[in-house]
Amino acid sequence: MFFNGFELPLVLFRRKHLRQEVPALYDNTLIYLFDPADGYMFLRDVLISHLHLSHSLLTKLKRQQKIRVNGQITKANYPLQSGDLVTVDINLEETNHIEPQDIPLDIVYEDTDFLAVNKPSDMAIHPAPHMPDGTLANAVTYYWTQQGKTILFRPINRLDKDTSGLVLIGKSQWAHQALFQQQKQGLIHKRYQAIVEGNIEKDCGCIDLPIARIDQNRSPRTVDSAGKNAITHFTVLQRYEGFTLLSLTLETGRTHQIRVHLSHLGNPICGDVLYGTPSPFINRQALHAHELAFVHPRTGKTLQLIAPFPSDMITLIEKVSKQG
């Protein structure tokens, strides 16, 4: 099928109202069919306001000649006309410096733009001088290399090494930036589950306490009036003898926020040796990133992802249940 002399994927013509469904999904291409009723005048307006390209990404795309109108490479100041078809190939030429390693992945979800993985405990997100390999970045890079793809590792959320659960990864700079903007606006919903020491009497509550770094050269944080605002909501799911299972959501994303807040309340996460004490029941902090929901930037639909409760936390609950 051809449009103004430009070959189009047939999938576009199966949509009754293409304009209402853009940016359309077709491999690594963003597609927009111009309609004056949308209020845009120039190609630049569509690229920034409609296709949500950042200025830095726009510069890269222009440099690699990835932006076209009706199949022709076009400058951003081009005045659009009714029926013009804008296509942007977001598959940039990039160099990945992370060493691929054959490490199994528990993939929860994957599409053209995103990969969601259920990260196990005892795995860091990124390589570091003290941990150059065995990370999620190494594992994901290998997974993509096996598919013949060169994609930079761009995690949208991060978890501590010993926190298990969902990590969302953007498969392009466009996808990563689109979700980063949602995150800045508080539009990405994240829910955690934790088993804490002691019995929390309130069924639900809000911890609104600022958090600061104790020492600029060390990782621990503490509640401090001079720190940055931090808000954590909690709901009690189950009480055991000396322990409580919580569901937690965050309004802010401070480093170690859940761990610091719960420790300050006198209910540290079970097994958290940094903000509490070691546990005979589990060899890491019993914290799991259980749920993640966001608006998919292509479809505009909410995507909800769930990572099942990990086996070591299930075992912990079985052990503390027997104590009563």
Side-chain angles (χ1 to χ4, degrees):
M1 181 70 69
F2 288 81
F3 180 82
N4 286 350
F6 176 52
E7 187 173 6
L8 299 179
L10 290 177
V11 68
L12 295 182
F13 292 91
R14 299 193 187 106
R15 294 186 171 94
K16 185 176 180 181
H17 300 292
L18 171 65
R19 185 171 62 86
Q20 297 177 6
E21 299 200 15
V22 292
L25 176 60
Y26 187 74
D27 294 331
N28 285 314
T29 303
L30 302 178
I31 299 173
Y32 172 77
L33 185 61
F34 179 67
D35 186 327
D38 290 338
Y40 303 118
M41 294 182 62
F42 298 98
L43 175 59
R44 182 187 297 104
D45 301 328
V46 169
L47 297 175
I48 294 175
S49 300
H50 195 91
L51 298 182
H52 311 297
L53 302 183
S54 68
H55 290 284
S56 62
L57 178 54
L58 182 55
T59 299
K60 291 180 183 179
L61 292 167
K62 287 192 295 185
R63 187 182 301 127
Q64 296 188 22
Q65 299 185 332
K66 299 284 191 176
I67 301 168
R68 297 172 181 262
V69 176
N70 303 326
Q72 302 299 314
I73 298 169
T74 309
K75 294 184 178 180
N77 62 353
Y78 168 79
L80 290 166
Q81 302 174 37
S82 182
D84 276 347
L85 185 76
V86 177
T87 57
V88 181
D89 179 3
I90 57 174
N91 187 27
L92 292 169
E93 298 171 13
E94 300 175 308
T95 302
N96 195 340
H97 298 290
I98 294 176
E99 184 71 24
Q101 287 184 285
D102 186 4
I103 303 171
L105 287 173
D106 182 3
I107 296 175
V108 175
Y109 176 83
E110 184 174 15
D111 63 18
T112 299
D113 296 304
F114 301 104
L115 175 70
V117 175
N118 182 14
K119 185 188 81 68
S121 61
D122 197 32
M123 175 182 275
I125 299 289
H126 270 113
H130 64 282
M131 188 175 296
D133 53 24
T135 71
L136 184 63
N138 299 114
V140 170
T141 299
Y142 178 85
Y143 173 72
W144 284 333
T145 300
Q146 292 301 105
Q147 301 174 38
K149 299 175 181 178
T150 302
I151 303 175
L152 296 189
F153 179 73
R154 294 184 173 96
I156 290 154
N157 66 309
R158 288 173 170 79
L159 300 178
D160 297 332
K161 175 175 173 286
D162 285 328
T163 297
S164 58
L166 285 167
V167 176
L168 183 64
I169 303 153
K171 295 171 71 174
S172 68
Q173 185 176 338
W174 175 81
H176 182 269
Q177 289 182 345
L179 266 291
F180 180 72
Q181 290 302 315
Q182 286 191 36
Q183 191 159 260
K184 283 176 61 178
Q185 298 168 31
L187 300 177
I188 297 182
H189 172 84
K190 291 179 277 189
R191 186 179 298 277
Y192 297 77
Q193 292 175 330
I195 301 165
V196 302
E197 297 178 6
N199 291 122
I200 296 180
E201 295 183 1
K202 287 186 177 181
D203 290 338
C204 59
C206 174
I207 309 169
D208 185 353
L209 296 169
I211 293 176
R213 189 192 290 264
I214 294 175
D215 184 329
Q216 292 303 314
N217 298 317
R218 301 177 62 197
S219 63
R221 269 71 171 171
T222 187
V223 168
D224 191 307
S225 59
K228 296 180 179 179
N229 72 302
I231 302 174
T232 304
H233 299 272
F234 69 87
T235 301
V236 172
L237 298 178
Q238 186 69 47
R239 293 182 179 90
Y240 307 96
E241 184 67 32
F243 297 89
T244 307
L245 173 62
L246 298 176
S247 173
L248 304 118
T249 59
L250 305 178
E251 279 193 38
T252 54
R254 307 303 175 202
T255 301
H256 298 176
Q257 178 174 320
I258 292 175
R259 299 166 65 188
V260 173
H261 272 170
L262 292 173
S263 177
H264 183 79
L265 291 186
N267 301 102
I269 296 176
C270 190
D272 189 345
V273 296
L274 186 61
Y275 297 104
T277 57
S279 169
F281 304 126
I282 192 168
N283 60 5
R284 55 105 173 187
Q285 65 257 14
L287 178 63
H288 179 66
H290 169 65
E291 180 183 336
L292 194 151
F294 61 95
V295 176
H296 200 295
R298 283 187 189 263
T299 65
K301 296 179 180 178
T302 298
L303 186 62
Q304 184 183 37
L305 307 175
I306 301 289
F309 212 51
S311 59
D312 60 348
M313 288 178 65
I314 292 174
T315 300
L316 169 60
I317 287 178
E318 291 172 349
K319 290 178 178 179
V320 300
S321 297
K322 294 175 182 178
Q323 291 194 145

